[in-house]
Amino acid sequence: MNERIEVTSDRDVVRVRQLVRTLAVAVKLSLVDQTKLVTAASELARNTLVYGGGGSVEVSPAENGRRKGIRIVFADNGPGIADLDLAFTDGYTTGGGLGLGLSGARRLVDEFDIVTAVGEGTTITVTKWCR
Amino acid sequence: MDRVPVLKIGDILLVSIQIDMEDQVALQLQEDLADRIVATGCHGVIIDISALDIVDSFVGRTLATIAAVSRVLDAETVVVGMRPAVAITLVELGLQLPGIRTALNVELGMDLLARERGDDDGDDGDDVEGTDTPAVSTP
């Protein structure tokens, strides 16, 4: 039951939040963990839109032995990130935001993986597990 | 596009955000509030976020900007009704809300604004050198 949303506008970021919330409730993440995951998804979906020039978000249930969770993949074909260390620095931004999206989102999830290449795009995969 | 209503109650503008806002809706609210502060001369703004299940960095920044703009326009902003899970997430996200006052609910928010306004009019207890005259409330 993978669900995929193309992110091309503000409205799609709202749809991503709602989809992630629905699936997070379905796998019984705790309320705080739901809130953290939806917040992280909101940050990363907005990054996909604003910095990646749009892209896609795919949400799916994850399983690791007896643990259940949610995995979300954010993919864009945008400019990529040249300096990852800098991009993960709290407060650093190229887009006039607060510079908390990437670093903050990483703190809110259990697993965070980023693949990026300049000129080719960025793919971020995050997972949140039930406790 | 949805719009968040701004209600005037006495000297206070009350906003209760009941929808999952698109970014544009949040920016529109920021403009609407600035306009209403100037049009009404209200000195307090209460933003109720008890219906919001998340506050991300964009909404957080918008709230901080609203507070800063309000202050320039001689109005104080209080954000009320933040859910516990939202508070925990905000802190972990690393979001600071500079210049934002908070209260647990609308009633306490109104108390806070009334108290602050009262302090402004009279003696706020600050030590000011050379003030021998008692503080007098301005009529």
Side-chain angles (χ1 to χ4, degrees), chain B residues 68-139:
Chain B
V69 170
S70 303
R71 186 160 302 130
V72 174
L73 297 173
D74 193 23
E76 198 66 28
T77 301
V78 185
V79 171
V80 307
M82 187 181 293
R83 297 183 184 185
V86 171
I88 291 169
T89 302
L90 270 184
V91 170
E92 202 151 320
L93 185 63
L95 195 62
Q96 317 216 327
L97 298 173
I100 291 191
R101 310 297 304 267
T102 56
L104 291 183
N105 56 43
V106 173
E107 199 173 4
L108 292 172
M110 292 176 87
D111 287 351
L112 177 64
L113 286 173
R115 237 177 12 247
E116 298 232 317
R117 208 63 202 164
D119 282 352
D120 282 355
D121 289 344
D123 183 3
D124 56 8
D126 281 353
D127 286 328
V128 180
E129 280 182 22
T131 43
D132 297 321
T133 48
V136 177
S137 294
T138 42

Side-chain angles (χ1 to χ4, degrees), chain A residues 45-64:
Chain A
R46 185 179 293 104
N47 281 0
T48 299
L49 178 66
V50 174
Y51 299 97
S56 67
V57 176
E58 201 167 315
V59 190
S60 57
E63 215 166 321
N64 172 12

Side-chain angles (χ1 to χ4, degrees), chain A residues 34-99:
Chain A
Q34 287 171 31
T35 306
K36 288 180 180 178
L37 184 63
V38 175
T39 304
S42 185
E43 300 293 341
L44 296 172
R46 185 179 293 104
N47 281 0
T48 299
L49 178 66
V50 174
Y51 299 97
S56 67
V57 176
E58 201 167 315
V59 190
S60 57
E63 215 166 321
N64 172 12
R66 282 190 312 190
R67 275 172 115 195
K68 290 189 168 178
I70 296 284
R71 180 166 291 132
I72 317 174
V73 181
F74 305 82
D76 69 61
N77 298 311
I81 301 170
D83 187 338
L84 271 182
D85 284 344
L86 196 55
F88 276 105
T89 306
D90 271 357
Y92 175 79
T93 178
T94 58
L98 292 171

Side-chain angles (χ1 to χ4, degrees), chain B residues 6-87:
Chain B
V6 179
L7 310 176
K8 179 178 180 297
I9 302 175
D11 191 35
I12 289 172
L13 294 175
L14 177 64
V15 177
S16 184
I17 303 173
Q18 298 286 333
I19 52 167
D20 190 342
M21 291 188 294
E22 288 171 38
D23 293 358
Q24 278 305 320
V25 176
L27 293 175
Q28 184 67 49
L29 172 61
Q30 190 177 306
E31 279 184 39
D32 288 350
L33 263 177
D35 287 344
R36 289 294 298 277
I37 290 168
V38 171
T40 61
C42 284
H43 289 109
V45 175
I46 292 180
I47 303 178
D48 172 33
I49 60 167
S50 58
L52 292 190
D53 52 23
I54 70 153
V55 171
D56 64 12
S57 66
F58 188 89
V59 170
R61 175 169 60 144
T62 305
L63 293 174
T65 306
I66 286 172
V69 170
S70 303
R71 186 160 302 130
V72 174
L73 297 173
D74 193 23
E76 198 66 28
T77 301
V78 185
V79 171
V80 307
M82 187 181 293
R83 297 183 184 185
V86 171

